[in-house]
Amino acid sequence: MDCGFNINHVLPEEITLLDASADFWKNTSVGGGREFMRQQICTVIDRIGEGSAQSQGFLTPITTSQKLRATDHRLYILKDATANGYRGGVIGYVKVARKKLLLVDPKGQQQQYEPLCLLDFFIDVPYQRQGHGTKLLNFVTKVSEDQGGLSVEFDLSRFYSTRQ
């Protein structure tokens, strides 16, 4: 997805994590480089959120820069640094957060859990069916395990023809 500018400066890694704690949200000076960077990151987030909403048939995006800034959600953005004449392009993203869920255990008792939940997921059409979604989910799983020691499993059986 082309954002109209060089995204390689604002998304330095192949997979970049953005959340409310990121430095670019804080202490922006008027006319400063940090404000310009913040505007560009907001543009990237808003454009990919619009792409996701459009592909899912939603009237409004569920992922926006404003919502990301005001929540504990984490957005992992995968880019192709060589796309658009080496200005970079967004391949897709995964948005996750821990959510409190009440589940019934095998004994019929309600238990409260706080698993890592997949809130939004989008791979731009030209990049679909090339393993980018799996790459993003594997990255999120690895980061989650490294940070919290919790194992994360995504049930993707309805998307893949896997048999055990």
Side-chain angles (χ1 to χ4, degrees):
M1 175 178 290
D2 187 2
C3 292
F5 55 87
N6 188 341
I7 67 165
N8 292 317
H9 299 296
V10 295
L11 302 174
E13 305 297 327
E14 180 185 23
I15 299 176
T16 302
L17 167 62
L18 300 175
D19 61 15
S21 69
D23 287 339
F24 61 83
W25 297 120
K26 305 170 189 159
N27 303 325
T28 58
S29 57
V30 176
R34 189 178 293 218
E35 173 63 19
F36 182 68
M37 179 180 167
R38 185 173 67 87
Q39 289 172 353
Q40 287 188 323
I41 289 174
C42 287
T43 298
V44 170
I45 295 168
D46 292 340
R47 286 207 181 151
I48 61 179
E50 290 166 5
S52 175
Q54 185 178 21
S55 72
Q56 296 179 68
F58 296 155
L59 296 177
T60 58
I62 59 174
T63 298
T64 66
S65 57
Q66 185 177 16
K67 289 178 186 176
L68 183 65
R69 188 174 182 184
T71 64
D72 64 346
H73 300 170
R74 290 177 284 168
L75 188 66
Y76 294 88
I77 300 176
L78 174 64
K79 73 168 184 178
D80 176 358
T82 62
N84 304 311
Y86 287 88
R87 292 183 305 140
V90 174
I91 293 173
Y93 71 90
V94 171
K95 183 171 72 170
V96 296
R98 295 217 176 267
K99 295 293 181 183
K100 292 181 181 173
L101 299 177
L102 287 175
L103 301 174
V104 177
D105 67 16
K107 296 178 184 176
Q109 301 295 315
Q110 282 190 347
Q111 301 291 326
Q112 183 172 335
Y113 297 93
E114 200 168 338
L116 185 66
C117 296
L118 180 64
L119 305 178
D120 197 9
F121 178 66
F122 173 69
I123 301 295
D124 199 16
V125 174
Y127 295 100
Q128 292 178 3
R129 301 275 183 209
Q130 298 174 34
H132 297 295
T134 301
K135 182 177 191 171
L136 265 172
L137 292 175
N138 288 339
F139 184 85
V140 170
T141 300
K142 173 105 174 77
V143 169
S144 178
E145 290 171 353
D146 289 349
Q147 290 179 348
L150 299 173
S151 178
V152 176
E153 293 182 22
F154 294 104
D155 181 8
L156 302 176
S157 60
R158 71 178 220 187
F159 301 106
Y160 293 103
S161 302
T162 57
R163 295 184 185 165
Q164 296 181 336

